[in-house]
Amino acid sequence: MRDLRRLPKANLHLHLTGAMRPATLVELAARAGLRLPPPLPDGVTHGWDTFQERYDIARSAVRTAEDVSRVIRETITDSERDGAAWVEIQIDPTSYARRLGGEAVVVETALAATAGRAGIVLASSWAGTPQTAARIARLAARYQSHGVVGFGLSNDERRGRVADFAEAFRVAADAGLLAVPHAGFYEAAWHVRECVERLGASRIGHGLTAAADPATLALLAERSVTLEVCPTSYPPLGVGDLATLPIARLIEAGVPVALGTDDPLLFGADLSAQYAIARQLGLDDATLALLARQSIAASAAPTPVRTQLLAEVDSWLSS
Ligand SMILES: [Zn+2]
């Protein structure tokens, strides 16, 4: 059996806080005097709030520019070990701006830490105001030529209206940034469709509810909108189980799929583990290689990096 760690792939869905090593969280939390909650029991469904609470505690342990740099450096190291030669890290600059001295400082700190070896996606929140989103989109536009590759919207999509964020995504599109909103996690296929039609989404974070609607699948396939599917994120939040994950249906419909990790700190699985889940679902190595190719193709990695990684996927498959 081919080693999934040796399959070159891109991780296009990973949040800064959620990428933190558990040991780093323990260390930063101790320094900040924070008490960490006990791990969540396996096999139990949690509401969004339980998840968000833990995420917030982890985020509040990140206090300095050095902390942000460290998490990014460790993320790149861990990703490379995992065969994710390219990673795009989502950051909501408002989360760290007060402690670091401004949103632009957060972005510059993150970009310096990547040293060109990863992309940064600036994300605002579905729960935030459209004005905040537009401000973050302008910030992303300002750093477009310095390594910011996309603009997204994270958090619980039920808390915002799609049309309200059209202006922010227009700013991002004008700057040549990828539009990568989270969508179709809780809301049905209409939400994915609206994000494509009204926000010009180039990729969708999750978007699994689209699988139930042939018209939305056709739209995604026609416009080559990639779904960033993160298998281990769904069972704990009660929005799908692994056995019925519709990866094969998406592929059959011609929708590009890029597997991602979302928040390995909370969900406990790296990118190779996501591919292992797809393998358990019956996908053969040729299909896993296709997923890897699609992740690389949908990334913002520089062209020479993409060309090399695609060639390495071919070698993996022919090995
Ligand atoms: Zn996410």
Side-chain angles (χ1 to χ4, degrees):
M1 200 164 17
R2 291 181 187 85
D3 184 353
L4 291 171
R5 250 164 238 294
R6 301 185 75 97
L7 170 62
K9 45 205 176 294
N11 190 354
L12 307 183
H13 196 121
L14 177 61
H15 299 274
L16 178 73
T17 302
M20 214 187 310
R21 289 177 183 167
T24 300
L25 173 59
V26 168
E27 191 187 319
L28 296 186
R31 191 201 57 195
L34 293 171
R35 263 189 49 185
L36 295 173
L40 290 171
D42 275 344
V44 178
T45 296
H46 308 281
W48 181 273
D49 293 343
T50 304
F51 165 80
Q52 189 65 46
E53 186 192 357
R54 279 160 190 268
Y55 197 86
D56 290 344
I57 293 169
R59 185 167 46 201
S60 70
V62 177
R63 303 225 157 156
T64 67
E66 174 45 32
D67 294 347
V68 170
S69 302
R70 172 182 174 176
V71 173
I72 289 176
R73 287 194 310 266
E74 291 178 350
T75 299
I76 295 173
T77 302
D78 295 349
S79 297
E80 284 172 354
R81 219 171 273 157
D82 186 21
W86 179 258
V87 56
E88 294 177 8
I89 304 168
Q90 284 196 36
I91 303 176
D92 181 343
T94 63
S95 301
Y96 312 99
R98 219 161 34 159
R99 291 207 165 106
L100 268 66
E103 290 165 352
V105 180
V106 177
V107 180
E108 286 173 16
T109 301
L111 290 172
T114 66
R117 290 158 68 213
I120 295 294
V121 170
L122 294 192
S124 197
S125 168
W126 280 109
T129 66
Q131 291 74 23
T132 301
R135 188 180 75 241
I136 301 305
R138 285 193 295 273
L139 187 65
R142 179 146 44 108
Y143 288 95
Q144 187 270 341
S145 57
H146 303 276
V148 171
V149 299
F151 169 72
L153 275 182
S154 56
N155 210 298
D156 183 346
E157 77 223 20
R158 296 171 296 191
R159 300 181 59 187
R161 282 183 6 165
V162 175
D164 291 345
F165 295 93
E167 170 61 19
F169 279 92
R170 195 159 34 240
V171 169
D174 286 350
L177 293 161
L178 292 168
V180 294
H182 285 56
F185 189 86
Y186 287 113
E187 299 287 14
W190 66 266
H191 190 259
V192 176
R193 171 175 280 276
E194 276 205 6
C195 285
V196 173
E197 290 178 340
R198 305 181 86 147
L199 306 183
S202 24
R203 303 194 310 239
I204 295 279
H206 308 299
L208 277 191
T209 56
D213 181 44
T216 303
L217 289 178
L219 176 74
L220 294 169
E222 182 202 315
R223 300 203 188 175
S224 253
V225 176
T226 298
L227 296 190
E228 303 158 0
V229 175
C230 310
T232 51
S233 299
Y234 311 120
L237 286 160
V239 293
D241 57 65
L242 295 181
T244 58
L245 206 60
I247 299 177
R249 196 179 325 148
L250 296 170
I251 294 171
E252 217 167 279
V255 177
V257 173
L259 298 182
T261 55
D262 211 359
D263 299 293
L265 173 68
L266 297 171
F267 301 122
D270 62 13
L271 192 57
S272 296
Q274 313 292 341
Y275 278 76
I277 289 167
R279 181 180 260 168
Q280 276 164 23
L281 289 172
L283 271 60
D284 61 15
D285 283 2
T287 311
L288 296 174
L290 171 71
L291 294 178
R293 275 191 212 105
Q294 288 178 338
S295 72
I296 295 160
S299 78
T303 306
V305 174
R306 273 197 273 183
T307 307
Q308 193 195 328
L309 291 179
L310 290 170
E312 287 172 12
V313 172
D314 293 341
S315 331
W316 179 83
L317 191 59
S318 60
S319 68

